[in-house]
Amino acid sequence: MAEFRAAKGDLVLENVTKSFTNFTAVDDLSMTVPRGAFFALLGPSGCGKTTTLRMVAGLEQPTSGRVLIGDTDLTGSRPYERPVNTVFQSYALFPHLTVRDNVAFGPKRRGAKDAQAQADATLALVQLTHLAGRKPTQLSGGQQQRVAVARALVNHPEVLLLDEPLGALDLKLRREMQVELKRIQTEVGLTFVHVTHDQEEAMTMADTVAVMNLGKIEQMGAPEVLYDLPRTKFVANFLGQSNLLSGHVDDTDGEHIIVSAAHHKLRLRKSRAAAGSGDIAFGVRPEKTRIHNTDPGASAAGNSIGPGTLLDVSFTGVATQYLVDVPDAGRWAVYEQNLDLDRIDSRPGDTVWISWDPGHAFGVRP
Amino acid sequence: MSALAHIGGSPSGTSTTAAPEPTKRGGMAAYLLLLPGLIWLLVFFVAPLVQLATVSLQSQFPGYPGYYYRNVDFGNYGRAIVEYWPHFVRSLLFAGLATFFAFVLAYPLAYAMAFKAGKWRGVMMICVIAPFFTSFILRTIAWRQILSDEGPVVSVLNFLHVLPGGHITETWVAVVAGLTYNFLPFMVLPIYASLERADPKIIEAGGDLYANGFTTFRTVTLPMSMPGVLAGTLLTFIPAAGDYVNAELLGSDISTKMVGNGIESQFFKVLGGYPIAAALSFTLMAVILALVFLYVRRYGTEELL
Ligand SMILES: Nc1ncnc2c1ncn2[C@@H]1O[C@H](COP(=O)(O)OP(=O)(O)O)[C@@H](O)[C@H]1O
Ligand SMILES: [Mg+2]
């Protein structure tokens, strides 16, 4: 019988590819998850998140590439040989076992004498002690979710994989469990790889977010960094919302490049541009922009666009959202916090201009 | 099932909401919907049962074989058991063996159909069901040919010198083989259904939690299919214990007869045998019910009780 690999260290995926008969689900993916990190794998449905997790768990073998923990190559080993546990998307609890026996399952298989005691301690951690004697079918969705987490956690895996663990819960419970999972991760200090398609969930929970699309990682980093400086169009739109305008680099001006797009010359810091020449997409977040009913003039040259026609104004309480049609530049969104006492009084049909602080603009590959 | 479990389990922590009391009209509708079923049961199950019970207690007119009068004569039961206890033993033994062999054959087959067959699943399903399209009697007679002294099975076994008696038909081996064969689909189908319904992710979870292939089977797959195994063993054992066709067509004249053969001969071959036949039927029913009750109590899952 093959034996358990007690590997320790960072989780490393090296050029991992997974092809099914006529489809490549994961395409030459490389990433490193630091030991002890709360890592989120974020991407739309079908982008290969589950397949990636399954390769780490050993439930699927990569077509090519390697999966390592620390220096130990786990490629080709069986799931039960890996120091990795999974919280399945559908929980996959054993229906014939009680909650306690579900949680004790892993420790028992590894020959722990105190499997039941370990299970009880972990059930206490997820606050389920009072339900230990029940069967999974007698639990609510949220309770089943906690059992699934406890059943994986009890083994103290080197890496804990969570496949959209909160996807089946309603919004309120989901917010509660986000806080709860974060607390547990801090308490146990294990590496968590959390898969989700909810960008808000990824950003609130994780230290590092990897944005995945079509089987590849588009960009990886701290949530604030990803949000502030997206490097691809996909990231700019999947993580929050962006006003994007395609153009090309026309000129340079010291620390800035000049992007020519839709009859405007827009300034962009070199450090915030994905390319120094050629085609580029200029972007700025809606909440980083302001709206004006007069031309902001020369002082805002390069950091404004207009005139445009106001299409829609919606007041949401904290903010007012404007939708502006700028000729040849498409529709722009502007979110303004309701701070000003003398806010402009505008209504659909008005002619308006949009401006921003140059430090907030970014340039992504077209 | 979860509703039952809630009633049984201790609802600590969360509060179980009481089921809303059915309104009067709702209650009436439920009874009306039950009515056809109840009438059916009354006419086709309860009435014959009562009739059989009265027959089992009748007495013969002395000197007039074949004529009875209404009586409460429990002596019929005593006479039936004294005369037929070996048949009872054989019935239970043969049915038990057939159930065991059917399980041993059916589980791998059902497992393969559920997890390994892929596109062949439909074909395998048809193969399991197809025998039902021909008569039970015909198929059993066919087995008589297959197992006959000149048939392929005996020839091969004799050639290998592994058949002490020299033949299979007219022995208990043929009867058990026939029972196993005839009731195999009743074992395969419920086991297949329970395996097919199992979420493959649950079986993967076994591997993820450090159980190798065999341990996962023993601790996850097999327990999860227990409702199917239980249903299959009952669906095989109950009719096999009451069967008489296999013993009649494949067994010997005396030493392999089962209770069903006793009932059949008392009904159709012995003048004045009706009360004994009825008493045998009732005794068999009671024995099977008692065994099934004990079995389900011991191995039953919440889904069945
Ligand atoms: N066993 C499989 N055979 C064929 N295609 C598969 C298989 N598993 C996944 N896929 C395909 O791979 C793609 C990625 O799937 P998945 O990793 O489940 O995505 P996600 O979890 O991001 O929603 C999907 O298009 C899916 O249809
Ligand atoms: Mg998925």
Side-chain angles (χ1 to χ4, degrees):
Chain A
M1 204 180 88
E3 62 196 73
F4 180 70
R5 320 260 183 107
K8 284 199 187 330
D10 300 348
L11 168 66
V12 180
L13 272 72
E14 267 182 19
N15 306 99
V16 169
T17 297
K18 178 70 191 181
S19 301
F20 296 108
T21 27
N22 49 13
F23 189 81
T24 300
V26 175
D27 189 5
D28 193 25
L29 183 148
S30 295
M31 68 179 189
T32 299
V33 180
R35 188 165 193 226
F38 199 125
F39 187 92
L41 201 53
L42 172 69
S45 182
C47 73
K49 304 182 297 291
T50 297
T51 308
T52 306
L53 276 203
R54 289 172 63 82
M55 287 190 286
V56 176
L59 296 167
E60 211 87 68
Q61 295 296 343
T63 313
S64 64
R66 300 202 302 162
V67 177
L68 302 98
I69 289 182
D71 298 327
T72 312
D73 188 352
L74 296 175
T75 322
S77 63
R78 316 289 308 162
Y80 52 86
E81 296 162 2
R82 301 187 182 201
V84 174
N85 291 106
T86 307
V87 176
F88 289 85
Q89 198 163 0
S90 53
Y91 312 143
L93 300 176
F94 304 123
H96 58 290
L97 298 179
T98 61
V99 167
R100 181 183 286 114
D101 288 338
N102 261 279
V103 179
F105 189 94
K108 261 189 205 157
R109 298 287 88 75
R110 293 172 68 181
K113 297 272 182 299
D114 58 343
Q116 297 286 342
Q118 285 189 33
D120 285 336
T122 311
L123 282 171
L125 182 72
V126 298
Q127 296 162 3
L128 277 183
T129 306
H130 60 295
L131 299 178
R134 289 214 194 163
K135 291 280 180 70
T137 47
Q138 295 167 265
L139 303 180
S140 71
Q143 290 164 340
Q144 290 184 24
Q145 207 276 327
R146 281 162 193 259
V147 178
V149 171
R151 187 178 69 171
L153 263 185
V154 70
N155 306 294
H156 299 288
E158 189 58 19
V159 177
L160 184 74
L161 307 173
L162 302 107
D163 192 358
E164 309 211 16
L166 311 179
L169 307 181
D170 61 52
L171 191 66
K172 185 170 167 292
L173 202 53
R174 194 151 71 218
R175 295 279 172 264
E176 277 174 37
M177 281 307 297
Q178 286 175 5
V179 176
E180 179 88 5
L181 275 179
K182 186 78 193 158
R183 170 185 75 79
I184 291 170
Q185 197 266 342
T186 315
E187 220 167 303
V188 297
L190 302 174
T191 311
F192 275 36
V193 179
H194 181 109
V195 158
T196 177
H197 63 253
D198 178 346
Q199 47 109 2
E200 200 179 321
E201 184 172 302
M203 288 201 284
T204 51
M205 296 178 79
D207 324 320
T208 309
V209 176
V211 182
M212 206 173 159
N213 186 33
L214 302 175
K216 288 179 186 293
I217 289 187
E218 293 258 337
Q219 194 179 347
M220 197 164 119
E224 313 84 66
V225 176
L226 286 192
Y227 187 83
D228 181 55
L229 193 55
R231 285 303 187 183
T232 70
K233 262 187 173 172
F234 179 82
V235 176
N237 277 322
F238 195 76
L239 217 62
Q241 209 188 327
S242 296
N243 294 308
L244 286 175
L245 185 55
S246 292
H248 64 271
V249 180
D250 221 27
D251 202 356
T252 55
D253 170 17
E255 284 301 293
H256 292 84
I257 53 173
I258 309 296
V259 178
S260 165
H263 327 301
H264 288 76
K265 300 234 177 270
L266 304 171
R267 284 158 63 84
L268 190 57
R269 281 192 192 157
K270 279 179 178 165
S271 60
R272 294 180 62 83
S277 60
D279 288 341
I280 196 166
F282 180 92
V284 60
R285 300 272 185 195
E287 76 278 7
K288 303 283 167 58
T289 58
R290 312 254 356 226
I291 198 152
H292 309 270
N293 47 13
T294 55
D295 190 338
S299 66
N303 309 317
S304 66
I305 196 166
T309 310
L310 191 55
L311 294 176
D312 186 50
V313 181
S314 42
F315 178 74
T316 64
V318 258
T320 304
Q321 305 189 357
Y322 301 90
L323 192 62
V324 181
D325 182 53
V326 182
D328 298 322
R331 292 182 173 187
W332 281 54
V334 176
Y335 300 164
E336 274 195 356
Q337 263 195 295
N338 295 325
L339 297 170
D340 298 346
L341 295 174
D342 53 348
R343 284 180 39 247
I344 62 163
D345 179 27
S346 41
R347 52 196 90 246
D350 288 1
T351 298
V352 292
W353 285 260
I354 299 166
S355 76
W356 53 85
D357 182 314
H360 288 312
F362 56 82
V364 297
R365 288 187 291 275
Chain B
M1 116 96 240
S2 67
L4 272 182
H6 272 297
I7 294 164
S10 60
S12 58
T14 55
S15 63
T16 39
T17 39
E21 227 174 284
T23 60
K24 204 153 194 178
R25 246 186 60 215
M28 282 302 290
Y31 287 120
L32 279 175
L33 286 170
L34 273 175
L35 204 60
L38 285 174
I39 291 173
W40 175 273
L41 266 182
L42 211 64
V43 172
F44 293 102
F45 182 68
V46 178
L49 214 60
V50 170
Q51 163 67 14
L52 201 64
T54 56
V55 170
S56 79
L57 298 172
Q58 284 172 347
S59 292
Q60 269 192 46
F61 270 116
Y64 293 89
Y67 289 85
Y68 318 90
Y69 60 93
R70 210 169 276 280
N71 196 3
V72 184
D73 182 1
F74 284 101
N76 290 329
Y77 284 84
R79 283 188 286 282
I81 289 165
V82 166
E83 191 175 341
Y84 285 103
W85 70 264
H87 293 66
F88 273 107
V89 172
R90 280 194 289 268
S91 268
L92 300 180
L93 197 65
F94 293 174
L97 283 171
T99 306
F100 172 76
F101 290 122
F103 170 74
V104 168
L105 290 171
Y107 204 99
L109 180 59
Y111 188 92
M113 278 167 70
F115 298 122
K116 309 279 176 202
K119 61 180 173 175
W120 295 102
R121 186 187 282 197
V123 177
M124 288 176 81
M125 179 62 91
I126 290 170
C127 291
V128 170
I129 297 172
F132 287 130
F133 290 102
T134 48
S135 141
F136 175 62
I137 308 271
L138 273 179
R139 282 183 282 126
T140 310
I141 291 172
W143 272 98
R144 204 183 150 108
Q145 312 278 311
I146 295 168
L147 298 175
S148 69
D149 292 355
E150 296 77 33
V153 179
V154 170
S155 305
V156 171
L157 291 179
N158 274 332
F159 178 75
L160 296 171
H161 301 285
V162 290
L163 197 63
H167 54 254
I168 296 177
T169 43
E170 313 269 310
T171 69
W172 65 271
V173 176
V175 180
V176 170
L179 288 169
T180 304
Y181 161 76
N182 274 310
F183 295 106
L184 188 63
F186 298 104
M187 185 69 92
V188 174
L189 295 177
I191 295 177
Y192 167 75
S194 69
L195 286 172
E196 208 259 344
R197 208 171 41 211
D199 180 358
K201 294 276 183 301
I202 296 178
I203 293 160
E204 284 185 345
D208 189 64
L209 293 162
Y210 313 109
N212 60 26
F214 176 72
T215 312
T216 299
F217 175 75
R218 187 174 57 79
T219 54
V220 179
T221 316
L222 184 63
M224 269 172 52
S225 63
M226 274 320 279
V229 173
L230 195 79
T233 47
L234 291 178
L235 286 174
T236 306
F237 183 81
I238 296 172
D243 181 78
Y244 70 98
V245 173
N246 286 281
E248 192 67 44
L249 297 177
L250 300 170
S252 75
D253 279 350
I254 307 153
S255 64
T256 64
K257 290 280 193 252
M258 297 165 66
V259 175
N261 305 94
I263 296 171
E264 191 245 8
S265 68
Q266 286 290 334
F267 260 123
F268 300 117
K269 296 177 186 153
V270 176
L271 199 55
Y274 276 27
I276 298 289
L280 275 176
S281 304
F282 258 88
T283 312
L284 178 65
M285 203 152 70
V287 169
I288 290 178
L289 269 177
L291 285 175
V292 166
F293 180 77
L294 290 176
Y295 177 68
V296 175
R297 274 290 289 274
R298 171 71 181 78
Y299 297 103
T301 56
E302 289 156 60
E303 280 80 7
L304 275 168
L305 271 186

